[in-house]
Structures are given as structure tokens and as C-alpha cells.
Amino acid sequence: MSADPLTAIITALQKEQIIPDVVPVSHAFTPSVLFSVVYPNGAEANLGNEMTVEETQDEPEIRLAALNGPWDDAPEASYTLAMLDPDAPYRTDAIYRSFRHWVITGLKAPAVTSNSAEALNALKTHPSTTPYRPPGPRPNSGIHRYTFLLFQEPATAEPFTVPQGAPEYGAALEERRSWNPVAFAEKHGLKLVGVNYFLVRSAEVDTTQ
């Protein structure tokens, strides 16, 4: 792993083709916020580690840290997080790229008042726009790259929310398919500031019987 965290992040994203499959090369993405994704059982996404379906069943917490030490942005900066699977139903035939697993707006860095891990969790100031749906890759579909995109929300007088009736409120299986996170960000003035991901290997089932 490179000593330079920015380079390390980009390298990890290129290794599994998150760049360009999820984040186009033309997007000119430069990470400015580090964030970890921590599940209630302690499992944590860490730029490409392998996790299990069982470990990722419940909605996780998000922990934010500025890449350059102290927060460069105003402490009131807020963020939207999207979780998606670009490998639906298969990485080699991703006709549903990307499957939208979770969208939540209004994440804020907590005021650091204690040293407990919970104190580091981002504040969830709004309910999820797209309710969290855990990984559930179909059998024999190989490895899936569950990707988290962190966007800085526009600084406006009113807190950012996705307008009612938008596709992101669709929670049914078919309503989550074929979602374009870059178009979503452009539509709402969101700036990509961080990316993380983990891998899940689908179950292998003997289909010859």
C-alpha cells in the first residue's frame, strides 16, 4: 500500500476497475474525504477486502475523516452516500449496472466529544432515500464489487434532500436496477469526494443435477 493515501485509493479503485466501471476516467475524481463503512458486527469495508453476505445484512455506520488532516471544508458540510453493485447480475454481463443498494442524504461529521468508536459515526440527519438492501448475489455469479460513493452536498440554505417522486425512492427490486450514480450526482449538484468498496463472492451451486 502506498504511503500516499490519495494514490493508494486511486490504485485500489483501478485494481478492481471501479475506475472506470463506476467512476468514469473522464470524471477526474480526486479523493478528499476518507471514510470507512462499519457493520454492527464489526465487519468493515476497506478498499477491496472480501466480506460475506452474512456480515453485511444490517445497515452500516459511516465514519468520516478528512484526507488532509483537519477538515478543509466548513464543519457544516453534509454528504450523500450511495451503495451500488455494478456487477448485477454478473460482472461479465452486467445488464443491470448499477444496482442501487442504498442512498442516504444528510450525513454530517460528528462533533468529537469522546474517544469511543461510536462517537466517530457520521450523523444520519435524514432517513434513507433508498432503504438499505444487503448484498444478495445470485449463485454462480462470481465476485461482486459493492461500491460506496460519498458525495459532498451543495451548500444551500435548506438541507439537501432528493425531491419526492425521484427514482431513488424506488425500493422494489426492479426499481433499483440500471441506476447511474454519475448522472444522479450531476442532476443534483453533488461532488464525488470519496469511494470505498468491498467484495462478495457468490455461492457456488452445482447446476448439473
Side-chain angles (χ1 to χ4, degrees):
M1 183 67 79
S2 167
D4 172 14
L6 192 153
T7 302
I9 292 168
I10 296 298
T11 299
L13 299 178
Q14 292 172 334
K15 176 187 175 186
E16 287 290 344
Q17 288 86 52
I18 303 296
I19 299 175
D21 289 352
V22 178
V23 180
V25 174
S26 60
H27 202 67
F29 164 60
T30 301
S32 60
V33 178
L34 289 170
F35 70 99
S36 54
V37 179
V38 184
Y39 284 86
N41 54 24
E44 183 173 347
N46 186 22
L47 287 172
N49 56 314
E50 192 166 320
M51 295 168 67
T52 67
V53 168
E54 291 73 25
E55 289 175 321
T56 55
Q57 283 301 296
D58 299 316
E59 180 178 307
E61 298 296 333
I62 308 302
R63 296 180 185 163
L64 305 169
L67 194 54
N68 300 316
W71 287 98
D72 297 326
D73 299 308
E76 290 304 304
S78 60
Y79 301 90
T80 290
L81 181 85
M83 173 187 173
L84 52 91
D85 176 10
D87 304 321
Y90 307 93
R91 186 163 174 174
T92 54
D93 187 24
I95 57 173
Y96 298 136
R97 176 175 296 167
S98 285
F99 186 92
R100 189 179 71 255
H101 278 265
W102 188 29
V103 173
I104 185 168
T105 65
L107 295 177
K108 288 179 175 275
V112 180
T113 55
S114 78
N115 293 323
S116 71
E118 288 73 20
L120 302 175
N121 292 343
L123 303 175
K124 295 175 178 176
T125 64
H126 299 150
S128 296
T129 305
T130 303
Y132 179 77
R133 183 185 179 94
R138 66 173 64 179
N140 302 328
S141 62
I143 291 178
H144 289 244
R145 300 165 292 172
Y146 292 93
T147 306
F148 296 87
L149 304 178
L150 187 72
F151 301 97
Q152 185 168 334
E153 296 172 353
T156 53
E158 294 297 317
F160 170 75
T161 57
V162 178
Q164 287 291 335
E168 287 72 32
Y169 285 94
L173 186 73
E174 60 275 9
E175 293 176 311
R176 294 173 180 259
R177 294 170 174 163
S178 306
W179 186 64
N180 185 332
V182 174
F184 165 73
E186 290 175 349
K187 179 177 181 179
H188 297 293
L190 302 170
K191 177 186 177 184
L192 184 63
V193 293
V195 181
N196 205 337
Y197 71 102
F198 63 86
L199 306 175
V200 171
R201 190 181 302 270
S202 67
E204 296 296 320
V205 177
D206 185 357
T207 59
T208 61
Q209 307 258 329

